Amino acid sequence: MTRDASDKSMATDQETLEQLKQLELTQRGAEGLVGKAIYWLGIALALSHIYFNTLGTMSELWVSAIHFGGFGLLCALMVPMKRGAVHAKGLLLLDVLVGLVAVATAAYLILFENSLYERGVHFIGSDWFAAFLAIGVALELTRRTTGWFIPVLILVALTYVFWWGKYLGGVFNFPGLSLETLLFRSYFSGEGMFGSIARISWTFVFMFILFGAFLVKSGAGDFIVQLSRSAAGRMVGGPGFVAVFGSGLMGSVSGSSVANTVSTGVITIPLMRKAGFPAKFAAGVEAAASTGGQLMPPVMGAGAFIMASYTQIPYLEIIAYAALPALMYFLSVGFFVRIEAKRSHAHAVEDNVPPLGVVFKEGWHYLLPLVVLVALLIYGFTPTYAAGLSILSVIAASWLSSQPMGFRDILDALAQGAKNMATTAVLLISIGLIVNVIATTGVGNTFSLMVSSWAGGSLLITIILVALASLVLGMGLPVTASYIVLGTLSAPALYGLISEAHLLQLMMDGGLPEAARSIFMLADPAAATKLAEPMARGDAEVLLSMIPGDFKSTLLEQALDPAVLSMALLSAHMIIFWLSQDSNVTPPVCLTAFAAAAIAKTPPMATGVTAWKIAKGLYIVPLLFAYTGLIGGTLTEMLTVFVFGVLGIYALAGAMEGYLEGPINWLFRLLALLTGVVLLWPDLPLVLKLVGAAVFIVLFWYSRRQAEPATA
């Protein structure tokens, strides 16, 4: 499929596109003078950011300010102040003014930063004015792109620091900072708007979003869809597998669940309906599969880069550990597709699709940039340099096709990459204000201690609380923002509990180092004798509970290998990252499911419920992160957890649906449920796991015997 053919097919479905526009903020298009301004401003921003990330030597604070000013102006031009006011000229003038104010506040910081330090960091009138304007513009642009929730949350956080925090009692009492100090940290320093989150935004996030824009412009997106159709289109229920396969591959390019839904859903959802799938199920599959796009390496949305920054674990290592869990998630969605295909007698509808070998032979070069990207990361290049060189490889690879990228295509890709980044940039800069408040006040540690207290030291209850928090936050926050807030607040609690689980196992095995034993002796002089040999779990828990909270971090560092602690931290963040995705498919606010519903013409809320059911892997896999060696274990251990986990999820899907290859009655549904729990339960003997696998295989065979010949 050529880019022109794809564009024509997208343009013909005007009704679908109109419905999709109702789900997103109406943005100004490419027509007219404003459209040209957006286009050329996007190109200028893309080129300047490429320079900053490769050859530039400017202060990071100044680059962050330019990032805010430039994308603030672009966002103000693209997203009108009022919904549906695309053609209102009066509001356009206000939008331009808001954008110019963003540019002015960035310029003020660059021009007058040194003067502020020369005055001993004492504000004058213009400093107050610029700081208030910068924060106000950031809040307004965030309101336009995400609604009122985040701006209100930011105002609550900021006022807590200098106003009402001092009136609270208990652990949340904060003596307060002066308003001048707060504004300095929020605007003039590298801690607030222009802190670590802003640096992540203009480095990793921008470069990979730009990389994705170049890939799509080169025709890689069309190739991915065509490759998926060739690989799975002729199977029973093939269009459903095309949605799963295509969304997984597309997610490695775009890292956006809504973008995945819009780009692949307009093809896969009609195909699924034509094959015989219920419309609501077809939309739910597309939404669930597209949500998994942000879990699929090498591009996992902005979260992977933020995770690398938080944990100080190399990005390459993160995506390596993310691969098997992502595959497990897509298989879990595929199981629901298989079950529904058998139940609905869905059939293949793509008889004229070229063979897989032919499609791959014609488009193999589209995969070269991904190979180049991974190779550069393995070789030791930073992610930003790797992304920059991979962009060049996209252009070079396109010349192996019949439609090489020309100068105009390159300009279009630069502009599109900047436009794709605009709303994300203002969001991340605004979220930096919340992160700064959490770091300044210590609320993050307080919240983690509070969660641990509520959970009574239970890792499972802590994960459930984090899942509930992610669901609530996801109703008002996009996925990236939800992960940032939850990661800042609750990651320490999860990390501590996962690390303590490793410590308990070490105590039970009798392998505690001498330095760690001395810490236990401070709480219990008889601990040395107890720890000299393996001990029961209950005794280990009692002894650990005697250690004061202030000493636990030291104890963990003395007792556990740094690699184990690193994997515990990665597991904690991966749990939060996965649970943050549930807002895409969980009612009442699930934009990805709503986008799929618009394409399928199904009730949005009912589609959301279906997507939530199909996306059960989002809740099961994080439990494996916490209780098994799926992250950080040996290769054998990870593969063992993966194989039994896949079979267990399939068994649970069969129990939920009452169907595998054929119908199963309530007794066998209970058996399937029990089998799934056994296969997924950690620390069970291998023999019991093998018995569970054998039972599932027999149950699968039995259901196949019950199936009608037409569905075989």
Side-chain angles (χ1 to χ4, degrees):
M1 182 185 294
T2 65
R3 294 200 302 273
D4 291 341
S6 176
D7 292 342
K8 290 178 181 177
S9 66
M10 292 282 288
T12 56
D13 198 347
Q14 292 298 327
E15 183 179 358
T16 294
L17 294 178
E18 288 301 319
Q19 288 177 306
L20 287 174
K21 287 179 182 178
Q22 297 175 9
L23 299 172
E24 299 179 320
L25 293 174
T26 303
Q27 297 184 1
R28 295 185 176 95
E31 67 282 350
L33 183 61
V34 176
K36 292 180 180 179
I38 292 172
Y39 180 84
W40 289 107
L41 177 59
I43 292 173
L45 287 172
L47 291 175
S48 62
H49 278 66
I50 291 174
Y51 171 77
F52 294 146
N53 281 288
T54 53
L55 305 175
T57 58
M58 187 181 295
S59 158
E60 290 185 349
L61 179 63
W62 289 12
V63 175
S64 296
I66 294 172
H67 181 68
F68 168 65
F71 280 105
L73 175 58
L74 184 62
C75 183
L77 292 175
M78 288 173 52
V79 185
M81 186 176 295
K82 184 179 179 182
R83 288 176 181 266
V86 174
H87 303 294
K89 293 184 179 180
L91 287 181
L92 174 60
L93 295 177
L94 288 176
D95 292 334
V96 173
L97 178 61
V98 170
L100 292 178
V101 169
V103 174
T105 56
Y108 184 88
L109 183 146
I110 294 171
L111 295 173
F112 297 102
E113 180 195 13
N114 291 334
S115 299
L116 176 63
Y117 286 109
E118 290 172 0
R119 292 193 300 272
V121 197
H122 293 301
F123 276 22
I124 60 175
S126 58
D127 296 334
W128 290 94
F129 187 63
F132 276 118
L133 275 182
I135 295 174
V137 168
L139 295 180
E140 162 58 17
L141 293 177
T142 304
R143 179 199 66 78
R144 296 185 187 195
T145 56
T146 64
W148 281 101
F149 185 86
I150 298 178
V152 171
L153 184 63
I154 293 172
L155 287 175
V156 170
L158 293 177
T159 52
Y160 168 76
V161 174
F162 76 91
W163 177 27
W164 55 272
K166 67 184 73 173
Y167 300 112
L168 295 180
V171 294
F172 287 107
N173 176 266
F174 183 67
L177 299 174
S178 68
L179 181 58
E180 183 181 40
T181 301
L182 174 64
L183 292 178
F184 171 77
R185 292 187 177 183
S186 299
Y187 170 60
F188 278 102
S189 74
E191 300 174 353
M193 293 173 59
F194 308 132
S196 59
I197 305 301
R199 288 192 292 274
I200 291 170
S201 180
W202 62 260
T203 54
F204 306 133
V205 178
F206 174 79
M207 292 300 290
F208 277 87
I209 284 181
L210 186 63
F211 173 60
F214 268 84
L215 271 177
V216 172
K217 187 63 181 178
S218 72
D222 298 329
F223 166 71
I224 287 173
V225 174
Q226 187 75 340
L227 184 67
S228 303
R229 295 171 74 177
S230 298
R234 295 187 179 89
M235 299 169 60
V236 173
F241 292 106
V242 171
V244 177
F245 187 41
S247 294
L249 292 177
M250 190 68 76
S252 68
V253 174
S254 69
S256 168
S257 57
V258 175
N260 282 356
T261 300
V262 173
S263 58
T264 61
V266 292
I267 297 173
T268 59
I269 290 177
L271 282 176
M272 280 189 276
R273 294 185 64 183
K274 185 178 179 182
F277 285 104
K280 186 171 62 176
F281 180 84
V285 166
E286 180 59 43
S290 294
T291 296
Q294 297 206 64
L295 308 173
M296 175 62 72
V299 180
M300 297 163 58
F305 312 114
I306 299 170
M307 193 183 303
S309 177
Y310 275 179
T311 62
Q312 296 302 300
I313 296 173
Y315 170 76
L316 184 63
E317 190 172 346
I318 289 175
I319 64 174
Y321 282 116
L324 276 181
L327 179 58
M328 185 181 293
Y329 175 79
F330 282 105
L331 286 173
S332 72
V333 178
F335 297 151
F336 280 97
V337 171
R338 175 74 180 185
I339 289 170
E340 187 60 42
K342 286 292 186 178
R343 180 164 52 194
S344 301
H345 307 297
H347 54 84
V349 295
E350 305 233 57
D351 296 330
N352 59 344
V353 174
L356 179 62
V358 174
V359 174
F360 187 81
K361 183 179 179 180
E362 293 179 353
W364 63 270
H365 52 274
Y366 290 118
L367 301 178
L368 284 179
L370 294 175
V371 175
V372 169
L373 173 64
V374 175
L376 290 172
L377 290 171
I378 293 174
Y379 192 72
F381 281 79
T382 64
T384 50
Y385 267 94
L389 293 174
S390 298
I391 289 172
L392 296 179
S393 73
V394 173
I395 301 172
S398 73
W399 283 81
L400 298 174
S401 70
S402 59
Q403 291 183 312
M405 292 185 70
F407 183 68
R408 182 70 186 191
D409 293 322
I410 294 172
L411 293 180
D412 289 346
L414 289 170
Q416 190 59 49
K419 288 192 287 185
N420 292 346
M421 181 67 195
T423 56
T424 301
V426 297
L427 170 64
L428 291 179
I429 287 170
S430 297
I431 289 297
L433 291 168
I434 298 178
V435 173
N436 180 44
V437 169
I438 293 172
T440 300
T441 60
V443 168
N445 291 332
T446 302
F447 183 83
S448 291
L449 292 173
M450 190 170 62
V451 168
S452 298
S453 176
W454 288 346
S458 168
L459 178 57
L460 177 60
I461 297 177
T462 301
I463 293 174
I464 292 173
L465 290 174
V466 172
L468 291 174
S470 73
L471 179 59
V472 173
L473 284 175
M475 294 179 186
L477 289 174
V479 167
T480 301
S482 180
Y483 166 62
I484 292 172
V485 174
L486 276 175
T488 306
L489 290 174
S490 57
L494 277 175
Y495 163 69
L497 290 173
I498 294 173
S499 300
E500 287 179 19
H502 288 289
L503 176 59
L504 286 172
Q505 187 61 51
L506 202 59
M507 295 168 66
M508 293 161 59
D509 294 339
L512 202 65
E514 188 65 35
R517 295 182 188 180
S518 63
I519 297 178
F520 278 104
M521 290 174 61
L522 296 175
D524 182 3
T529 304
K530 298 177 182 178
L531 294 168
E533 57 187 24
M535 58 196 311
R537 183 178 186 88
D539 294 336
E541 290 175 345
V542 170
L543 191 57
L544 182 59
S545 67
M546 299 172 63
I547 302 297
D550 295 341
F551 285 90
K552 280 191 176 179
S553 60
T554 303
L555 174 61
L556 293 173
E557 292 173 1
Q558 293 291 337
L560 299 177
D561 187 90
V564 174
L565 292 174
S566 178
M567 289 302 100
L569 182 60
L570 179 58
S571 297
H573 276 272
M574 199 71 79
I575 289 169
I576 296 169
F577 181 60
W578 273 63
L579 292 177
S580 297
Q581 310 298 319
D582 68 350
S583 61
N584 283 319
V585 291
T586 305
V589 179
C590 41
L591 184 59
T592 302
F594 290 169
I599 298 172
K601 302 178 179 64
T602 55
M605 202 60 65
T607 303
V609 172
T610 302
W612 175 74
K613 179 186 70 174
I614 296 171
K616 278 295 169 285
L618 286 177
Y619 306 96
I620 296 174
V621 176
L623 294 174
L624 299 179
F625 294 154
Y627 290 102
T628 71
L630 186 57
I631 290 182
T634 64
L635 180 61
T636 301
E637 187 178 4
M638 289 189 293
L639 290 176
T640 300
V641 173
F642 173 79
V643 171
F644 286 125
V646 166
L647 292 177
I649 292 174
Y650 204 165
L652 292 182
M656 291 172 61
E657 296 295 299
Y659 211 97
L660 284 169
E661 293 292 282
I664 53 177
N665 59 34
W666 66 270
L667 183 61
F668 286 116
R669 290 180 74 171
L670 288 176
L671 180 61
L673 176 62
L674 178 62
T675 301
V677 171
V678 168
L679 290 168
L680 290 166
W681 198 272
D683 300 327
L684 288 181
L686 179 61
V687 174
L688 195 56
K689 297 268 191 181
L690 291 173
V691 170
V695 170
F696 174 71
I697 291 172
V698 171
L699 189 59
F700 186 87
W701 173 81
Y702 169 78
S703 69
R704 190 174 181 85
R705 291 289 300 270
Q706 297 296 109
E708 298 176 8
T711 65

